[in-house]
């Protein structure tokens, strides 16, 4: 396998750091941390560059907050200057890894995304009788640091880049979420899970990248070793289609064993095998041969969010543009299903106070 060296100079160049600063402020341009950094952007970038060159750069403390929909998770936000470093790294690493990633892996990749994943899922569904749908239990908190670093070293041989990546990985909060899972795998003794460092913070650009390359090991095994044709993945949510239910049952057992080597476990309640004629719930839709229906949970969540925004708008805490952005985002997503009448019904009853026209 080809490894890449001599990446450091390209990474620490002022041009790369400046581009990273532009990319990292998308959607956050008016935040106080961004404005403060941008007020002296040239000096700040030169200072950051000097810290990286001198190996005095260390990540700052994460800010954390909880989201409860669609499920409760703890999100970690890195300081703004750290996000610049993450973007600068991805400018270098993504072009190297992108050709190696599985084609039908759709999360957090250029020219992929939710809607292409839905299209592929429906295409695969139409060609098969059965489906195996799986989810990794506590995926981000379970990613093993040693295994992740080994995966990175299979591709990157630049010692300075590797050193920085190790610093970022090791800077992950000691406990990701409310508790780090303690699981035992083949070859473990009673102390192994306590000695291992695991978990990367949801919210980092680098974390999305790490999570994708970690499960790319599963992608390669399913395609190259198990010779499965109809397989797609969206982060830790993956689906396999086949004509034989027996093959899928055998494959599920084999996946359990393979994931043991990555110190991962399938979610007990999210590893189902069923006929495709029942439809496949995936990324907010229930997908059938000829149509896609929006999941009721997606609609309930949207209505709940709009009710909250109505109150925030009434209190003067948000403006019309913020409300419209949320509405347009949901409309853009829901239009990828057969939802015309549903959308009409939803917005007939949605009225915002203070004369907002949606």
């Amino acid at each position: 396998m080809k490894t890449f060296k001599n990446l450091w100079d390209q990474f620490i160049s002022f041009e790369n750091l400046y581009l990273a600063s532009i990319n990292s402020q998308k959607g956050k341009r008016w935040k106080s941390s961004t404005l403060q950094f941008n007020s002296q952007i040239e000096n700040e970038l030169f200072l950051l560059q000097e810290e990286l060159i001198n190996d005095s750069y260390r990540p700052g403390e994460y800010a954390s907050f909880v989201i409860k929909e669609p499920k409760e998770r703890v999100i970690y936000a890195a300081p703004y200057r750290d996000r610049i470093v993450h973007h600068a790294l991805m400018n270098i690493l993504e072009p190297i890894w992108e050709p190696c990633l599985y084609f039908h892996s759709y999360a957090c990749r250029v020219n992929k995304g939710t809607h292409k994943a839905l299209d592929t899922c429906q295409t695969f569904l139409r060609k098969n009788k059965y489906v195996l749908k799986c989810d990794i239990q506590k995926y981000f908190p379970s990613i093993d640091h040693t295994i992740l670093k080994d995966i990175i070293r299979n591709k990157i041989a630049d010692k300075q880049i590797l050193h920085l990546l190790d610093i970022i990985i090791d800077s992950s909060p000691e406990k990701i979420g409310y508790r780090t899972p303690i699981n035992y795998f083949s070859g473990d003794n009673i102390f192994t899970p306590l000695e291992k460092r695991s978990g990367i913070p949801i919210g980092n650009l680098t974390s999305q990248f790490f999570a994708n390359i970690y499960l790319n090991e599963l992608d390669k095994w399913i395609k190259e070793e198990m010779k499965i044709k109809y397989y797609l993945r969206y982060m830790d949510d993956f689906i396999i289609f086949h004509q034989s239910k027996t093959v899928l049952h055998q494959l599920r057992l084999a996946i359990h064993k393979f994931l043991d080597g990555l110190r991962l476990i399938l979610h007990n309640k999210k590893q189902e095998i069923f006929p495709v004629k029942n439809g496949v719930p995936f990324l907010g839709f229930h997908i059938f041969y000829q149509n896609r229906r929006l999941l009721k949970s997606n609609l309930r969540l949207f209505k709940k969010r709009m009710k909250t925004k109505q109150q925030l708008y009434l209190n003067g805490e948000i403006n019309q543009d913020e409300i419209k952005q949320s509405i347009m985002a949901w409309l853009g997503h829901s239009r990828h299903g057969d939802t015309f009448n549903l959308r009409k019904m939803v917005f007939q009853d949605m009225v915002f106070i203070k004369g907002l026209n949606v």
Side-chain angles (χ1 to χ4, degrees):
M1 180 183 292
K2 180 181 179 181
T3 57
F4 290 80
K5 302 178 181 180
N6 304 318
L7 303 172
W8 184 253
D9 287 345
Q10 184 183 355
F11 163 69
I12 61 167
S13 70
F14 186 86
E15 291 77 13
N16 185 46
L17 294 176
Y18 179 73
L19 176 61
S21 73
I22 299 300
N23 292 336
S24 63
Q25 63 184 268
K26 290 178 180 176
K28 301 178 176 69
R29 185 178 177 186
W30 303 111
K31 288 199 169 185
S32 58
S33 57
T34 309
L35 291 170
Q36 184 176 351
F37 190 95
N38 285 346
S39 68
Q40 300 186 57
I41 187 168
E42 187 172 319
N43 290 336
E44 291 283 3
L45 289 177
F46 277 126
L47 177 61
L48 184 57
Q49 184 186 49
E50 183 180 355
E51 289 180 15
L52 290 165
I53 292 171
N54 296 335
D55 191 26
S56 61
Y57 165 79
R58 292 297 180 269
E61 290 189 13
Y62 289 92
S64 64
F65 57 94
V66 178
I67 61 169
K68 297 188 176 182
E69 299 290 351
K71 61 182 179 181
E72 191 165 289
R73 293 182 296 172
V74 182
I75 305 298
Y76 292 87
Y80 179 66
R81 71 196 312 263
D82 291 346
R83 295 202 300 270
I84 293 175
V85 173
H86 298 168
H87 276 271
L89 278 168
M90 291 304 98
N91 290 343
I92 306 302
L93 298 180
E94 278 186 337
I96 292 172
W97 242 285
E98 183 60 30
C100 308
L101 296 180
Y102 174 51
F103 182 83
H104 291 302
S105 168
Y106 288 95
C108 307
R109 293 175 65 191
V110 177
N111 297 323
K112 298 292 182 178
T114 303
H115 303 133
K116 288 191 176 181
L118 291 169
D119 291 341
T120 298
C121 182
Q122 191 164 43
T123 298
F124 287 179
L125 179 152
R126 290 168 176 166
K127 297 178 179 180
N128 294 277
K129 292 182 179 179
Y130 298 98
V131 60
L132 166 62
K133 189 172 186 298
C134 296
D135 194 305
I136 305 293
Q137 176 180 292
K138 294 186 179 296
Y139 179 48
F140 277 76
S142 299
I143 291 176
D144 183 86
H145 288 193
T146 301
I147 296 173
L148 174 59
K149 291 175 184 179
D150 288 343
I151 290 171
I152 292 170
R153 279 162 172 77
N154 287 335
K155 202 75 181 164
I156 302 299
D158 186 301
K159 291 182 180 180
Q160 290 168 293
I161 293 288
L162 289 173
H163 176 61
L164 178 59
L165 289 171
D166 288 350
I167 288 173
I168 291 172
I169 292 169
D170 292 337
S171 74
S172 301
E174 286 290 337
K175 292 187 176 181
I176 301 292
Y178 295 114
R179 59 185 183 274
T180 300
I182 299 177
N183 297 310
Y184 288 87
F185 300 90
S186 301
D188 284 359
N189 60 45
I190 192 170
F191 300 108
T192 303
L194 303 177
E195 295 168 348
K196 286 278 188 180
R197 277 296 308 274
S198 63
I200 56 175
I202 300 175
N204 273 2
L205 181 65
T206 47
S207 294
Q208 296 170 0
F209 171 74
F210 294 151
N212 256 342
I213 66 173
Y214 200 86
L215 273 188
N216 192 54
E217 301 297 301
L218 173 68
D219 300 340
K220 290 188 295 185
W221 175 77
I222 287 178
K223 294 299 294 183
E224 297 171 11
E225 299 295 326
M226 305 308 290
K227 309 295 183 184
I228 298 298
K229 185 176 181 180
Y230 299 106
Y231 162 70
L232 73 151
R233 178 171 66 84
Y234 193 94
M235 199 49 75
D236 63 315
D237 192 352
F238 60 94
I239 304 178
I240 300 169
F241 295 90
H242 207 278
Q243 293 290 68
S244 169
K245 183 189 286 189
T246 302
V247 168
L248 291 179
H249 278 288
Q250 294 170 344
L251 185 60
R252 179 166 60 178
L253 293 175
I255 289 171
H256 274 282
K257 292 180 181 178
F258 182 84
L259 290 177
D260 185 89
L262 293 174
R263 303 187 68 81
L264 298 175
I265 296 175
L266 289 180
H267 197 296
N268 281 333
K269 298 179 180 179
K270 296 180 181 179
Q271 44 174 305
E272 305 172 274
I273 296 171
F274 51 92
V276 299
K277 66 181 181 181
N278 295 342
V280 178
F282 188 48
L283 301 178
F285 288 90
H286 210 120
I287 304 172
F288 296 89
Y289 288 104
Q290 301 299 331
N291 67 333
R292 303 174 194 171
R293 300 173 188 170
L294 198 70
L295 290 176
K296 291 181 180 179
S297 58
N298 184 288
L299 181 59
R300 283 197 302 270
L301 177 58
F302 175 66
K303 287 183 174 181
K304 183 177 179 180
R305 285 175 176 168
M306 287 301 102
K307 189 173 182 180
T308 300
K309 287 186 182 295
Q310 281 182 327
Q311 188 60 50
L312 292 173
Y313 181 65
L314 179 62
N315 296 341
E317 297 178 48
I318 61 174
N319 58 33
Q320 292 188 12
D321 287 341
E322 291 175 87
I323 297 171
K324 288 182 178 179
Q325 284 175 9
S326 296
I327 292 173
M328 295 308 294
W330 184 81
L331 283 174
H333 181 66
S334 63
R335 284 193 179 107
H336 286 266
D338 301 278
T339 60
F340 178 77
N341 290 329
L342 174 66
R343 281 179 275 132
K344 282 181 63 177
M345 179 188 71
V346 168
F347 288 106
Q348 278 177 351
D349 299 328
M350 188 172 292
V351 177
F352 280 87
I353 306 170
K354 296 170 64 177
L356 174 62
N357 180 16
V358 300

